[in-house]
Amino acid sequence: MNRNIFLILLLFIIPISVVGQTVTVEAKIDSVQIFIGQQAKIELAISIDSKQNAVFPQFRDTLIRGIEVLETSEPDTQYLNNRERLLIKQEYTITSFDSALYYIPPIPVQVDSQVYKSNALALKVYSMAVNADKPDEYFGLKEVMKPAFAWEDWRGLIILSVLAIPLLILLIYLVIRARDNKPIIRRVKIEPKVPPHVLAMQEIERVKAEKTWQKGEPKEYYTELTDIIRTYISDRFGFSALEMTSSEIIDMLMELKQTEDLNDLKILFQTADLVKFAKHNPLMNENDANLINAIEFINETKDPEEENVKPQPKEITIIEKRSLRTKILLISGIVVLAVSILAIFIYVVSQLYNLL
């Protein structure tokens, strides 16, 4: 009894296993008749178990003698029966240039370690009918036609060409800056504008602190003192006192009527001329008196309005020395710009060659 039950169960299990492992291969062609040079598609479909692997044949250029393979598509996989089965399809695009009736033998597909074959196919290739009695109906080869002008074909080239112009200008600018060792951007420092009498008094205080007349250098002392007075007069009264003689400066001040008593200033200039040109050696009290005369002249002639006016800013351009890091970045930028411009030029030339 037990043996009979075992046999019955075995009969049920075997068919289920066989059905589960059923493999079907089917080939279809979309057109069984074509003219020479036309194309047709062969669809190869295989149905297998989801756990099996299928390998489709790969044709390089020929399916059979007389039929060429132009293209092989990627396999299209579909799951069936709750993902227990697979349906895989692959298409082959074929053509022929010889008129004949072609027999396409079954196409083999390998599933795991076994080979399965599809059904056979047939393809009829016709040649074009030629009527020799009417040769005027046939024409020779036509000349190559140039495509019509379209802005869409030139838009990208125009944009790239316009973009290359500022890039080229920037490249030239950076190259010049790198060659001259100048910074790309100059910094601007804002400093207040100091009134002339303040600058003059600052210089006089410096001369007093150095005490050059006590070191036996009266010529240097009077040269610095008179230069301070000349610079002050130039900035205060607006004429070039640095290029004028002492007498010319006194005459100009008298014409401007900026001060009534110029005797102390005359004595200062005369003593300075004697020291510089006649090697005069003034006494100590004479040096102090001339220094006091210079201070009094500045205080008497300074512009009273400038004492209450806030210092006005004055822009001074300062060239910053370029650091090593800036140099590396500058050279890198030049290389990148040069490569970009060269790539744009090559692309534009190649596209123009193709269009023209």
Side-chain angles (χ1 to χ4, degrees):
M1 183 66 178
N2 292 334
R3 183 178 181 183
N4 293 334
I5 294 174
F6 176 76
L7 292 174
I8 293 172
L9 291 175
L10 185 62
L11 290 175
F12 279 101
I13 292 173
I14 291 175
I16 292 174
S17 176
V18 172
V19 171
Q21 297 295 329
T22 301
V23 176
T24 59
V25 181
E26 182 181 5
K28 295 180 181 179
I29 187 168
D30 63 349
S31 179
V32 296
Q33 296 179 352
I34 62 173
F35 284 103
I36 290 178
Q38 287 185 328
Q39 298 178 3
K41 292 184 180 294
I42 294 178
E43 180 184 270
L44 187 61
I46 180 171
S47 176
I48 59 175
D49 190 75
S50 60
K51 297 181 181 179
Q52 294 178 301
N53 294 321
V55 178
F56 284 83
Q58 298 296 323
F59 303 101
R60 292 186 178 180
D61 52 8
T62 304
L63 181 63
I64 60 173
R65 184 176 180 180
I67 297 180
E68 298 181 7
V69 177
L70 302 178
E71 183 182 0
T72 302
S73 67
E74 294 292 331
D76 180 22
T77 304
Q78 299 179 10
Y79 286 96
L80 305 174
N81 298 338
N82 295 326
R83 304 181 72 86
E84 293 181 359
R85 299 282 295 173
L86 288 176
L87 179 61
I88 306 175
K89 297 179 180 179
Q90 188 166 13
E91 285 187 347
Y92 301 92
T93 303
I94 62 173
T95 189
S96 178
F97 297 96
D98 293 323
S99 59
L101 175 61
Y102 294 97
Y103 170 76
I104 302 176
I107 302 174
V109 180
Q110 182 178 347
V111 179
D112 293 336
S113 60
Q114 189 173 353
V115 177
Y116 297 85
K117 294 185 178 181
S118 69
N119 52 296
L121 298 173
L123 178 65
K124 176 63 176 179
V125 180
Y126 292 94
S127 60
M128 297 294 295
V130 178
N131 190 350
D133 297 333
K134 298 180 179 180
D136 297 337
E137 295 180 357
Y138 307 97
F139 304 92
L141 297 176
K142 294 185 178 180
E143 296 181 356
V144 178
M145 297 180 62
K146 294 184 178 180
F149 179 81
W151 279 108
E152 290 76 10
D153 299 334
W154 295 82
R155 184 181 304 165
L157 298 180
I158 294 174
I159 293 174
L160 287 176
S161 301
V162 173
L163 178 63
I165 295 174
L167 291 179
L168 181 60
I169 295 174
L170 179 60
L171 176 62
I172 295 173
Y173 173 78
L174 294 179
V175 170
I176 294 174
R177 284 291 175 181
R179 183 194 63 186
D180 298 340
N181 196 24
K182 293 182 179 180
I184 301 175
I185 300 175
R186 293 178 178 177
R187 293 184 179 179
V188 176
K189 182 180 179 181
I190 307 299
E191 291 183 352
K193 183 179 180 181
V194 183
H197 69 277
V198 175
L199 288 174
M201 292 303 297
Q202 290 175 355
E203 290 297 312
I204 288 177
E205 290 297 327
R206 179 185 61 80
V207 172
K208 287 172 60 178
E210 292 177 354
K211 299 180 181 181
T212 53
W213 72 91
Q214 295 180 1
K215 300 177 183 179
E217 300 175 354
K219 182 177 181 180
E220 182 178 352
Y221 167 71
Y222 279 97
T223 300
E224 291 184 350
L225 189 59
T226 53
D227 286 344
I228 293 172
I229 296 299
R230 290 172 181 270
T231 302
Y232 166 73
I233 293 173
S234 297
D235 296 338
R236 171 66 180 85
F237 301 109
F239 62 88
S240 181
L242 292 171
E243 300 176 359
M244 300 170 66
T245 63
S246 301
S247 59
E248 290 174 345
I249 294 174
I250 297 298
D251 294 340
M252 183 64 70
L253 289 174
M254 293 179 66
E255 291 180 6
L256 295 175
K257 297 181 180 180
Q258 292 295 330
T259 180
E260 296 180 359
D261 189 6
L262 295 175
N263 290 328
D264 293 340
L265 185 62
K266 289 181 181 179
I267 294 173
L268 171 60
F269 281 141
Q270 289 174 357
T271 305
D273 291 339
L274 290 174
V275 171
K276 288 188 287 185
F277 303 112
K279 297 182 180 181
H280 173 64
N281 190 10
L283 300 177
M284 183 70 67
N285 57 350
E286 192 175 359
N287 295 330
D288 294 337
N290 285 321
L291 182 64
I292 294 173
N293 291 337
I295 295 174
E296 290 179 351
F297 173 77
I298 293 172
N299 289 329
E300 289 176 1
T301 58
K302 65 183 179 181
D303 190 354
E305 296 181 357
E306 291 184 349
E307 296 186 16
N308 300 323
V309 176
K310 295 182 179 180
Q312 299 296 321
K314 180 174 65 174
E315 294 186 355
I316 300 177
T317 302
I318 299 176
I319 299 177
E320 181 186 10
K321 187 177 180 181
R322 188 181 302 142
S323 62
L324 178 61
R325 180 173 178 270
T326 306
K327 290 181 180 179
I328 295 175
L329 292 177
L330 178 60
I331 295 174
S332 301
I334 291 174
V335 172
V336 171
L337 280 175
V339 172
S340 302
I341 294 173
L342 180 61
I344 292 175
F345 176 77
I346 294 174
Y347 177 78
V348 170
V349 171
S350 63
Q351 293 299 313
L352 286 175
Y353 179 79
N354 294 332
L355 290 174
L356 299 178

